[in-house]
Amino acid sequence: MSDTTTTTSTPGAVQTTGHAWDGDLQEFNNPLPRWWLWSFYATVVFAVFYWFAYPAWPFGKTWTKGFTTATYTEGGQSHTMRWNTRSALLEDLDSGSDAKRQRQYLDKIAQTDYAAIAKDPQMVAFVNQAGKRLFETNCSACHGRGGQGVVGLFPNLVDDDWLWGGSYQAIETTLKHGRNGYMPAFGSVLNATQIDDVANYVLSLSGVVPSSEASARGQKIFTGATGGCYMCHGDDGKGIKSMGAANLTDKIWTIANVPAAQSPADKLAAVRAVIGSGVQNVRKMPAWGERLSAAEIKLMAVYVHQLGGGQ
């Protein structure tokens, strides 16, 4: 095989590059169509424009932000931020017909009192649908998707036992401002025997254990100056909602996991641990007043109220 160079100069003939192999095999010189070249140049210009218009290049500890923005409504307020896939999605959802209908219903809920909302089938249906979405987005991480909560950490919302009150207004206040559950530790105030006596009394209030000499001694501590438990839980142990103090007579346990304990000794140990260590820094609920709009909080109050069967 040989490589020779020839030149084609016949007018109208196909131009070659001047390379030929074995005399017959030649390399034609066919340029790309002009439309293709201009299309290619246009893509190059578009790429340069895109680099500036949208987030594209890393730059030190940040990146080029672009100058395209997206506007959407969240929490009842309008937000404009640099374009990204999340803001673009929110803008798209916000501009859709479903979002507009949702805002209409939210406006209607904001202007309607709780009793009227509960009697309106269409509004209740909207509360169930939109409230479930809001709950799963903002509340399910702690209270679970169904609102069952976690004993010792997050209250159960489906048992109609409300630490801070279960009325619409009380739930709205809880959602708007948050809550901070607290119980002092009595491990340094009471000795081991006294803590056992109080635990026996607490368990006897709900019939978990029968009354005994120990529970009688525990009652004196509970209602006396030594323990002072009555100041939060009341003389009868039924709790004080304004303080978020639990009702100790209803067999509903929010901190001590008594139902999971197998034996009376294990149940006593669960209550004794709470009395000794108290409840601190584990029962904080954040305030949602700055994240959710007033209408969304009102909608959530109705939804959570329904989870507990109302009150």
Side-chain angles (χ1 to χ4, degrees):
M1 179 179 294
S2 63
D3 181 5
T4 61
T5 300
T6 62
T7 303
T8 302
S9 60
T10 305
V14 178
Q15 297 293 317
T16 67
T17 62
H19 297 104
W21 290 266
D22 293 336
D24 297 324
L25 185 60
Q26 300 184 51
E27 181 180 4
F28 292 139
N29 182 23
N30 287 327
L32 292 169
R34 288 184 179 275
W35 68 266
W36 193 98
L37 287 173
W38 284 112
S39 297
F40 173 73
Y41 298 148
T43 60
V44 173
V45 173
F46 174 79
V48 173
F49 169 79
Y50 193 90
W51 289 344
F52 289 96
Y54 295 94
W57 292 98
F59 184 74
K61 295 183 178 180
T62 182
W63 64 92
T64 57
K65 301 297 192 300
F67 51 76
T68 302
T69 60
T71 302
Y72 59 93
T73 301
E74 188 174 59
Q77 298 180 349
S78 179
H79 301 272
T80 299
M81 62 183 297
R82 293 293 183 182
W83 184 95
N84 56 45
T85 53
R86 180 180 182 274
S87 63
L89 173 62
L90 291 174
E91 182 179 49
D92 183 58
L93 293 174
D94 190 50
S95 61
S97 58
D98 290 340
K100 293 178 180 178
R101 285 197 299 269
Q102 185 181 73
R103 284 195 294 271
Q104 291 175 354
Y105 268 102
L106 281 173
D107 291 341
K108 186 176 180 180
I109 284 177
Q111 299 169 8
T112 307
D113 61 59
Y114 284 111
I117 293 173
K119 294 178 181 179
D120 189 322
Q122 289 187 343
M123 297 184 74
V124 170
F126 175 73
V127 165
N128 290 333
Q129 182 180 19
K132 181 179 180 181
R133 178 184 61 81
L134 284 173
F135 187 90
E136 290 181 350
T137 301
N138 301 288
C139 312
S140 62
C142 294
H143 294 284
R145 294 186 64 184
Q148 292 84 358
V150 179
V151 175
L153 294 175
F154 313 111
N156 185 345
L157 303 178
V158 302
D159 57 9
D160 203 17
D161 182 76
W162 306 89
L163 291 174
W164 300 93
S167 66
Y168 290 117
Q169 288 75 15
I171 297 174
E172 179 181 333
T173 300
T174 297
L175 289 168
K176 186 179 296 184
H177 302 292
R179 295 296 186 183
N180 185 11
Y182 172 81
M183 173 180 163
F186 287 87
S188 60
V189 178
L190 306 176
N191 60 41
T193 300
Q194 290 174 316
I195 291 177
D196 281 345
D197 291 344
V198 174
N200 273 285
Y201 175 66
V202 169
L203 288 172
S204 71
L205 285 173
S206 56
V208 176
V209 300
S211 298
S212 62
E213 292 182 3
S215 65
R217 293 192 300 268
Q219 181 180 12
K220 293 181 180 179
I221 299 172
F222 187 96
T223 58
T226 305
C229 310
Y230 72 95
M231 289 188 290
C232 293
H233 294 283
D235 292 328
D236 54 4
K238 291 186 178 181
I240 300 175
K241 286 183 169 55
S242 62
M243 303 180 67
N247 183 348
L248 303 176
T249 68
D250 57 6
K251 295 185 179 182
I252 295 176
W253 302 90
T254 62
I255 299 294
N257 198 356
V258 173
Q262 298 298 318
S263 66
D266 292 336
K267 297 179 188 296
L268 187 66
V271 176
R272 187 172 57 230
V274 175
I275 296 172
S277 302
V279 178
Q280 304 172 39
N281 301 321
V282 295
R283 295 298 292 268
K284 290 184 178 181
M285 173 178 167
W288 296 95
E290 295 183 359
R291 176 162 180 172
L292 300 178
S293 67
E296 288 174 324
I297 287 180
K298 192 171 184 178
L299 181 146
M300 283 293 296
V302 178
Y303 179 77
V304 172
H305 186 270
Q306 291 182 170
L307 287 178
Q311 186 183 62

